[in-house]
Amino acid sequence: MYNFLLEFHSIFRYVVLLLAIVVIYQSIMGITEKKSYTAGNAKSALFFMISWDLMFLVGILLYLVFSPLTAAAMQDFGAAMKDPNLRFFAVEHSLMMLISLVLVHIGKSKIKKAATDYKKHQIGLIFFGLATAITLFAIPWSMRGYWPQ
């Protein structure tokens, strides 16, 4: 089950990132070209949020139940903080992803309450853009040397 969830989590990130590109692009176009905030924009933002929720749910399952990395980190948290790979997965990755998830939800909520189309696009760009930037930094890209074992 661990390998399946880890592979799903690793591959599904591209769906989340693709949807992030879509909502950020729509926000930029909405701002620069003064476009209306359409039902299509709302659906894109909703799908982005749902994909994020699913990704986070799988991540929580990995973190709390299936990951040997976090299990090892929890056995001796002090020692885990001295190991960059364990620290990344036990603290840094999960915390940054939680912050990203919260930003996506706050952004989606604020968009619903915004009075103008311009403000909706602006809020989407700010919150979804920040969430995506944090996410890109928190992903364990192989070039960074972090990888679950």
Side-chain angles (χ1 to χ4, degrees), residues 116-128:
T116 66
D117 291 334
Y118 179 84
K119 193 71 175 166
K120 290 178 182 191
H121 287 300
Q122 186 181 45
I123 290 167
L125 180 60
I126 292 167
F127 282 89
F128 299 157

Side-chain angles (χ1 to χ4, degrees), residues 7-22 48 51 55 135-136 139-142 147:
E7 282 299 314
F8 177 83
H9 194 65
S10 295
I11 293 168
F12 196 69
R13 70 176 149 190
Y14 296 108
V15 172
V16 174
L17 291 173
L18 178 64
L19 288 168
I21 290 167
V22 169
F48 177 54
S51 71
M55 182 65 123
T135 299
L136 287 169
I139 290 174
W141 303 107
S142 59
W147 198 251

Side-chain angles (χ1 to χ4, degrees), residues 48-50 52-54 56 98-112 127-128 131:
F48 177 54
M49 186 179 73
I50 290 169
W52 237 116
D53 289 345
L54 178 59
F56 194 77
L98 175 61
I99 291 167
S100 293
L101 177 74
V102 168
L103 287 170
V104 169
H105 277 268
I106 290 171
K108 183 76 172 77
S109 176
K110 284 185 164 288
I111 286 170
K112 283 183 187 177
F127 282 89
F128 299 157

